[in-house]
Amino acid sequence: MDSRIQSDDNLQRMMVGSMMRKVKSRTWKKQRHFRLQEDGLTVGYKSSWARKIHSAFSLCDVEAVREGHQSEILLSIADEFPPDRCFTLVFRGRRGNLDLVAETAAEAQAWIHGIRTLLENIENMGESEKLDQWICDWFHKGDKNKDGRMNFKEVRKLLKMMNMDMNEEHALLLFTTADKSQTDSLNNEEFVQFYKMLTEREEVVGLFQEYSSDGEKLSVCDLEDFLREEQLESENSQQRASELIDRYEPSDGAKTLPAMSIDGFLMYLCSSEGSIFNLEHKGIYQDMTLPLCHYFICSSHNTYLLEDQLRGQSSVEGYIQALKRGCRCVEVDCWDGANGEPVVYHGHTLTSKILFKDVVATVGNYAFKVSEHPVILSLENHCGIDQQRVMAMHLSSILGDKLLKAPLNGRTPYDLPSPEELKGKIILKWKKIGGITDNLDAAEEDVSDEDETDKDNFSSEDQNHGNKKSKQSLCAELSDLVVYCKSVHFRSFEHSRIHSKPIEVSSFSEFKARKYLKEAGTEFVRHNARQLTRVYPTGMRTDSSNFCPQEMWNIGCQIVALNVQTAGMEMDLNDGFFRQNGSCGYILKPDFLRKPESNFDPERPQDFEGYHPQRLLIRVISGQQLPKLSKKEGSIVDPLVKVEIYGVPQDQAKQETRHIDNNGFNPIWNETLEFAIHTPDLAIVRFVVEDYDKASRNDFVGQYALPFKSIQPGYRHIHLLSKDGTSIPPSSLFVHIGITEAS
């Protein structure tokens, strides 16, 4: 990293440091001195009068840099500071953005380009480099006096910070071995060597030696045997072994043999190719040419909210985060605003308001950055005729050709097109005046408003009048923009079967959907094979909590809308489920959920003709560098692993390992958990690491969820994620997976 900094003028400028304004609001704008630290990955900042840095952030936590007025806060001071001096740092997870104003445009550009260069360097790091950098980060944290060296007492203290309580005699022996300079202290490079000796993976060494012909290395034949017998990779296994040696073996000498050392073997197992998630499913591997109703669609509820739905902040950032997370259906609650401009917020509550036109512009800018497949704009419209016309104008003028305004290729819009045909298009979901193909001469028309407007506007007014059917005037200009997603009130499955068109969408609260599921599960499945269904959280969830989406996916509901801003098991499942198929936001439903006459009932999967149960064996072997929860000195995690299966009711199951006392660093469990999977196409497996506490509820440490069908068998690493769904390297679990036909 040092040589790169020395050869880059922008990074050199960042090392010198700059005075910039940190902006939190229109009135809170304070000068801070920002400087890139010597490690080339940390930015520290302090008040101009302070002697020492009092705050810092790692560039590993930065997701992107936005230039100019690309945040609501910077937009609010646009009259004061020009866009060429402003930029925003966007962090991973739910950490707030950092809005900055440089003294000059040149200074801003130096930081923008410099940070982007460093982010690109981080992205291109190999597994070994990433690990070395992680160790160096810990070294800098432990080096309190910043002299670049650490004695044994400091190292022992750092190990506890790193979540490890170990034998002092063993640690001292390794410390002495690593102290090549014989100064009774370790520099950065020596500490990296000490750490690697300390973390030697006995369970991996044992596996390596089991397949090594000479106990020293894996020849191509040895590695081929391992891939075929353990990883169940029988196709082109010799070529595959050669490729892995070329890709992961760090020693040039071993490569020329060719062979793989223990270091190369460990790097392969820790890589994405050694991950539990099937690499083939990371790209788009499903047929994307079927009608829209044949896909599960990643969907967001109350997308504008960053917090709860009573007093939370409304922000365009909610749309940016949802779209970046892969959501393909976002919700916009529109109300009449001041100066003739519609606003977006949660009606009858204290949530803040944002302009409808700003939401539309944000959706237009971010709709296709993660996926090129269509985005559905689900309108919850409470505006009068005049502001509906303004909405129509903004949608057309801001989105331009991205907005779908007419049926594809001039076809009559009775049948739903496919995600492939709708690539790059934004589709409006709302009510429509009259029939689908009616000539709309009237400027406005009253339409019964029965499907969604009482969904979650929780107030005394709604409670008093919630049972009354309301009439809403709709304007033709907005109605004309609805093509393939016409919102209609649901009457019954029989009525829909006889009268409904594929392009009509009905919305259900989670309570109503659950009621229909229990009363007529198979009918619900058949309904969803013909047309789109949206399910949303009840309005009683004032804390913006979520329901479990799995039960709705079990019956083929496509648009299962969740509060993306709320972390928890429900969002873990959503993220895990939509991790497959290139994270494009569309997952092809199993064929038994696409057939109009399907006999599938999630309550009785064994009765359906395609019943093929499987058996899942998971040996939880070990954990690596689990994150420390408590900042309290001496506090170390007592980890246990839970494995949870979500799917049809018969598949719902949870099992857990024992807990390991005082070792979040390299715990060993070696315990096998076994599950029967009745409907593999719908099952999701979630791994959760918890800190055992006998006196109270266990604390969350990390998680990872993925579809059962995306699991790779064999020896695999599970790279853990935080509660927010962001990566927490190098924290992982090492497991062995076995999948067989159930007897």
Side-chain angles (χ1 to χ4, degrees):
M1 192 66 78
D2 291 344
S3 60
R4 293 173 189 166
I5 289 174
Q6 288 167 8
S7 61
D8 189 301
D9 290 342
N10 292 324
L11 300 184
Q12 283 287 303
R13 200 162 180 173
M14 289 170 66
M15 290 285 284
V16 172
S18 305
M19 288 300 296
M20 292 189 279
R21 284 178 175 83
K22 180 182 176 184
V23 187
K24 287 188 176 180
S25 69
R26 189 168 174 79
T27 54
W28 199 103
K29 305 182 287 285
K30 298 199 175 176
Q31 291 272 16
R32 296 286 184 265
H33 187 264
F34 288 80
R35 192 175 80 82
L36 179 65
Q37 304 301 290
E38 284 69 19
D39 65 357
L41 277 180
T42 307
V43 174
Y45 57 97
K46 63 185 182 69
S47 304
S48 53
W49 45 265
R51 289 186 179 182
K52 290 186 177 180
I53 285 170
H54 55 68
S55 293
F57 59 85
S58 170
L59 289 169
C60 295
D61 296 329
V62 175
E63 188 175 284
V65 188
R66 296 186 199 145
E67 293 186 60
H69 299 146
Q70 286 204 57
S71 76
E72 283 153 288
I73 288 172
L74 291 179
L75 278 169
S76 73
I77 59 168
D79 56 342
E80 198 174 345
F81 300 105
D84 60 5
R85 287 172 55 193
C86 300
F87 63 99
T88 301
L89 299 186
V90 182
F91 292 92
R92 301 180 193 281
R94 287 173 170 77
R95 179 174 173 176
N97 296 345
L98 178 60
D99 291 304
L100 298 171
V101 180
E103 294 293 300
T104 66
E107 199 79 17
Q109 284 301 307
W111 278 84
I112 289 165
H113 292 302
I115 290 174
R116 284 178 177 163
T117 298
L118 292 172
L119 294 183
E120 191 177 333
N121 291 343
I122 293 168
E123 190 68 29
N124 293 331
M125 273 186 189
E127 295 299 321
S128 181
E129 275 185 294
K130 285 178 183 175
L131 181 60
D132 287 357
Q133 186 58 53
W134 182 82
I135 301 167
C136 289
D137 287 346
W138 275 107
F139 181 86
H140 290 301
K141 286 178 190 174
D143 183 16
K144 298 296 183 185
N145 63 357
K146 305 300 178 192
D147 66 349
R149 304 198 71 85
M150 296 182 71
N151 60 34
F152 183 66
K153 185 178 178 182
E154 289 174 311
V155 165
R156 201 175 57 198
K157 199 170 181 179
L158 178 59
L159 290 179
K160 289 202 170 184
M161 285 170 62
M162 294 174 81
N163 225 349
M164 187 178 192
D165 191 9
M166 69 169 302
N167 180 286
E168 192 168 320
E169 194 176 320
H170 178 60
L172 183 57
L173 177 65
L174 297 180
F175 179 92
T176 306
T177 306
D179 181 18
K180 302 293 184 189
S181 57
Q182 298 186 340
T183 57
D184 293 327
S185 63
L186 304 181
N187 63 22
N188 198 333
E189 289 178 7
E190 290 170 337
F191 180 73
V192 170
Q193 286 308 116
F194 166 77
Y195 172 87
K196 287 185 174 177
M197 287 189 287
L198 191 66
T199 56
E200 186 175 68
R201 302 271 301 275
E202 291 180 13
E203 74 278 24
V204 175
V205 171
L207 183 62
F208 177 84
Q209 289 177 341
E210 184 182 336
Y211 281 88
S212 171
S213 303
D214 60 5
E216 297 292 324
K217 61 186 179 299
L218 293 175
S219 66
V220 172
C221 289
D222 294 339
L223 186 54
E224 188 183 351
D225 288 345
F226 173 77
L227 293 173
R228 190 174 55 251
E229 293 174 26
E230 300 291 355
Q231 310 300 71
L232 303 187
E233 297 182 25
S234 55
E235 285 186 30
N236 303 317
S237 52
Q238 185 175 356
Q239 182 186 338
R240 173 98 171 113
S242 298
E243 287 172 356
L244 291 178
I245 290 170
D246 190 53
R247 197 169 299 145
Y248 296 108
E249 176 51 50
S251 162
D252 290 336
K255 271 186 184 178
T256 57
L257 288 174
M260 182 177 271
S261 67
I262 181 64
D263 288 339
F265 186 59
L266 185 57
M267 285 175 67
Y268 151 64
L269 287 175
C270 290
S271 73
S272 58
E273 291 183 271
S275 159
I276 191 172
F277 191 91
N278 187 340
L279 263 187
E280 291 179 8
H281 290 191
K282 287 208 166 181
I284 293 176
Y285 67 98
Q286 296 177 339
D287 184 352
M288 303 302 286
T289 64
L290 300 176
L292 218 54
C293 61
H294 288 349
Y295 298 83
F296 296 114
I297 303 171
C298 188
S299 305
S300 164
H301 176 63
N302 289 347
T303 313
Y304 47 88
L305 288 180
L306 297 182
E307 300 163 41
D308 69 78
Q309 61 189 49
L310 282 185
R311 296 179 181 81
Q313 180 190 355
S314 301
S315 170
V316 296
E317 193 64 37
Y319 291 91
I320 296 172
Q321 294 304 324
L323 291 166
K324 278 165 57 177
R325 206 157 179 163
C327 286
R328 299 287 87 193
C329 180
V330 296
E331 185 181 30
V332 189
D333 282 12
C334 308
W335 299 78
D336 283 335
N339 305 316
E341 284 292 345
V343 292
V344 174
Y345 81 112
H346 200 267
H348 308 300
T349 67
L350 300 176
T351 58
S352 60
K353 300 172 182 177
I354 50 179
L355 291 174
F356 175 76
K357 64 181 178 182
D358 289 345
V359 169
V360 175
T362 300
V363 171
N365 287 335
Y366 286 88
F368 306 110
K369 288 189 183 291
V370 168
S371 168
E372 53 188 347
H373 290 93
V375 168
I376 299 170
L377 210 57
S378 181
L379 282 190
E380 185 67 31
N381 182 21
H382 306 270
C383 291
I385 287 291
D386 290 343
Q387 292 204 17
Q388 284 183 41
R389 289 196 179 99
V390 176
M391 288 169 63
M393 179 189 70
H394 287 324
L395 285 164
S396 295
S397 61
I398 295 171
L399 298 179
D401 291 341
K402 290 178 185 174
L403 182 66
L404 188 77
K405 304 183 186 78
L408 294 178
N409 304 321
R411 302 191 308 223
T412 303
Y414 282 119
D415 295 319
L416 282 168
S418 68
E420 183 69 27
E421 291 175 290
L422 291 166
K423 271 184 178 177
K425 291 297 182 184
I426 296 171
I427 306 162
L428 196 62
K429 174 190 163 293
W430 192 49
K431 298 178 180 62
K432 190 170 181 70
I433 300 169
I436 305 300
T437 57
D438 288 357
N439 182 19
L440 303 175
D441 295 323
E444 60 191 70
E445 181 177 321
D446 282 345
V447 176
S448 180
D449 181 24
E450 298 175 354
D451 67 326
E452 291 183 61
T453 53
D454 64 340
K455 71 178 175 88
D456 52 15
N457 297 322
F458 185 65
S459 69
S460 57
E461 179 185 348
D462 293 314
Q463 285 176 296
N464 293 336
H465 303 289
N467 293 327
K468 295 180 181 178
K469 295 288 192 292
S470 60
K471 292 281 185 177
Q472 183 184 27
S473 294
L474 309 184
C475 84
E477 292 90 336
L478 194 54
S479 170
D480 285 350
L481 299 179
V482 178
V483 183
Y484 288 117
C485 290
K486 176 186 177 183
S487 294
V488 298
H489 173 63
F490 178 79
R491 297 184 186 180
S492 69
F493 291 124
E494 184 181 9
H495 182 274
S496 292
R497 189 173 64 251
I498 298 168
H499 299 287
S500 293
K501 307 291 188 296
I503 67 155
E504 294 176 340
V505 186
S506 294
S507 291
F508 301 83
S509 72
E510 59 177 290
F511 288 157
K512 280 187 180 177
R514 216 170 274 128
K515 174 177 173 285
Y516 288 126
L517 161 61
K518 288 177 181 174
E519 291 175 356
T522 302
E523 278 298 305
F524 212 157
V525 168
R526 291 174 178 176
H527 173 85
N528 292 329
R530 295 189 303 268
Q531 61 194 100
L532 291 167
T533 292
R534 178 173 178 268
V535 183
Y536 54 85
T538 173
M540 302 299 286
R541 294 182 180 273
T542 52
D543 58 350
S544 290
S545 59
N546 284 308
F547 62 93
C548 180
Q550 185 70 54
E551 58 186 336
M552 302 307 159
W553 293 330
N554 288 343
I555 50 174
C557 295
Q558 301 88 348
I559 305 175
V560 182
L562 298 182
N563 290 298
V564 173
Q565 75 274 22
T566 306
M569 171 273 289
E570 298 84 3
M571 274 308 300
D572 293 347
L573 294 184
N574 196 76
D575 287 344
F577 186 50
F578 286 100
R579 194 166 278 127
Q580 62 181 310
N581 206 32
S583 299
C584 75
Y586 285 84
I587 305 297
L588 183 63
K589 297 197 291 186
D591 60 352
F592 56 82
L593 293 179
R594 306 198 307 262
K595 294 175 180 176
E597 298 307 318
S598 172
N599 70 336
F600 179 73
D601 183 344
E603 296 287 338
R604 297 190 56 79
Q606 66 273 21
D607 291 348
F608 114 93
E609 61 221 18
Y611 179 61
H612 294 297
Q614 292 190 292
R615 183 166 157 264
L616 173 64
L617 282 170
I618 301 172
R619 179 154 64 95
V620 181
I621 302 170
S622 62
Q624 294 75 45
Q625 290 85 56
L626 303 176
K628 187 177 172 71
L629 300 178
S630 172
K631 296 190 186 291
K632 189 176 171 186
E633 194 172 329
S635 170
I636 294 173
V637 167
D638 303 324
L640 62 85
V641 178
K642 283 185 177 178
V643 178
E644 303 169 346
I645 310 295
Y646 295 85
V648 298
Q650 287 185 37
D651 285 342
Q652 301 285 124
K654 293 182 185 181
Q655 292 183 40
E656 64 185 57
T657 67
R658 72 191 187 283
H659 72 273
I660 306 292
D661 287 325
N662 287 324
N663 190 353
F665 197 71
N666 55 1
I668 301 282
W669 290 280
N670 258 328
E671 291 186 45
T672 299
L673 311 177
E674 183 175 347
F675 302 91
I677 310 293
H678 295 274
T679 310
D681 288 300
L682 292 173
I684 299 173
V685 183
R686 180 175 181 248
F687 296 84
V688 188
V689 181
E690 292 183 350
D691 179 14
Y692 173 75
D693 192 325
K694 64 182 177 185
S696 62
R697 189 176 178 180
N698 294 348
D699 289 321
F700 172 91
V701 175
Q703 59 82 21
Y704 187 82
L706 77 165
F708 173 77
K709 299 284 277 189
S710 295
I711 290 178
Q712 292 200 104
Y715 285 95
R716 303 293 173 184
H717 275 91
I718 298 165
H719 300 282
L720 294 173
L721 304 175
S722 70
K723 194 172 284 188
D724 291 334
T726 54
S727 61
I728 42 176
S731 299
S732 64
L733 296 175
F734 186 45
V735 299
H736 183 271
I737 302 290
I739 298 172
T740 59
E741 294 293 320
S743 54

